[in-house]
Amino acid sequence: MTSYIAIAEKCLRDEAEALLGLIPLLDENFDKTVDLILNCRGKLIVTGVGKSGHIGAKIAATLSSTGTPSFFINPLDAFHGDLGVIADADVVLAISNSGQTDELLRFLPYLEERHIPVIGMSGNPESLLARYSAAHLNTAVIREACPLGLAPTSSTTAALAMGDALACALIEARGFKASDFARFHPGGSLGKRLLTKAKDVMQTDDLPVVDEEMKLGEVVCHVSRGRLGLCVIVKDGCVEGIITDGDVRRAMEQQQDRFFALTAADIMTRKPKCVTPETKITEIETIFRRNKIHSVLVTDSEGRLLGIVDSFGAMI
């Protein structure tokens, strides 16, 4: 029988060497990255495409469970409504091995315009991503462990390890303790998550509510002021529809000539996802995943708006 142990051994050695190769690449950019995250008054948004996106999701999960509020978004989704989750007080960690990923680069000018700091993580310190970044983490590897030298292997391992190094540094910097980890880690909070309901975490103050006849120019102002990336259309006291900032942008692109003549009713999504005050957070998270949305409306039995639960409020 053919043995493939030698191939596995070479792969592991190549990836181990890639990790050791990161040590000489650590410089003042790493310290600057830690300081940017420590001083962040909002949350850390992690983004990346493809394999880098998978790595980014894991990094965000690790940071969230160790005291750094983090959230992963795909830059492709960002252009269709997800930009609403990014606030001016946030910091963005953008991951791309080449540092030249087009979908990611198109996302960066928007952040620069809003003066949102970008931390780049790539294997190319001369890339556009590195030049856009306030701090750049170099994760260059000599070669991929893949026998063809093509599949992301050593490079993704390097990015994952750099994320872990960042998490370890932040744990030390925050004085994060084992008791804190037990409180934030999903294993320690599972019971609480199963008991928590929409009414426990929903936002109820200054909800972005508009009339269906309101012109879109004014709707945009309500979406912005609400800081939830959406507004709710209410008619006769009941929820009629919802408009996200993605809906607004698409309307601007597709109907530029008559945009300001349009009303909320013209572009709103009717029958938005609604839950009751008694709906459990675990069920709401399933709604988020299945429908690729970040907010649900909380209504009573008559369809009256009681509150809004967004993905950050559901992170308990």
Side-chain angles (χ1 to χ4, degrees), residues 143-279:
R143 60 181 174 278
E144 298 286 5
C146 165
L148 300 176
L150 298 175
T153 43
S154 296
S155 58
T156 48
T157 299
L160 185 63
M162 186 63 78
D164 287 341
L166 188 57
C168 289
L170 288 165
I171 287 172
E172 288 289 330
R174 295 186 191 282
F176 199 77
K177 299 179 176 61
S179 58
D180 298 316
F181 184 79
R183 182 163 53 91
F184 283 110
H185 195 271
S189 62
L190 181 58
K192 182 179 179 182
R193 289 162 63 80
L194 290 173
L195 293 173
T196 302
K197 299 176 181 179
K199 64 182 181 181
D200 300 318
V201 298
M202 67 183 184
Q203 296 187 43
T204 58
D205 297 329
D206 300 320
L207 298 178
V209 174
V210 303
D211 182 85
E212 64 178 354
E213 297 301 321
M214 182 178 289
K215 299 295 185 180
L216 289 193
E218 192 174 350
V219 168
V220 170
C221 296
H222 280 75
V223 172
S224 178
R225 284 198 295 267
R227 301 185 67 81
L228 290 171
L230 58 84
C231 65
V232 184
I233 295 82
V234 172
K235 182 180 180 180
D236 298 328
C238 296
V239 171
E240 185 78 5
I242 189 172
I243 294 176
T244 68
D245 56 1
D247 295 327
V248 173
R249 281 191 294 276
R250 283 187 286 276
M252 292 180 69
E253 293 171 357
Q254 298 168 8
Q255 304 190 61
Q256 294 181 23
D257 296 340
R258 55 189 299 263
F259 177 81
F260 289 102
L262 296 174
T263 65
D266 292 326
I267 70 167
M268 69 180 181
T269 298
R270 298 180 184 275
K271 297 182 179 179
K273 298 298 178 183
C274 298
V275 299
T276 73
E278 298 298 318
T279 304

Side-chain angles (χ1 to χ4, degrees), residues 22-42:
L22 294 181
I23 296 175
L25 302 181
L26 293 171
D27 57 18
E28 67 277 1
N29 279 281
F30 189 87
D31 289 334
K32 188 173 182 180
T33 294
V34 174
D35 287 338
L36 280 169
I37 297 174
L38 284 176
N39 294 321
C40 175
R41 294 178 291 107

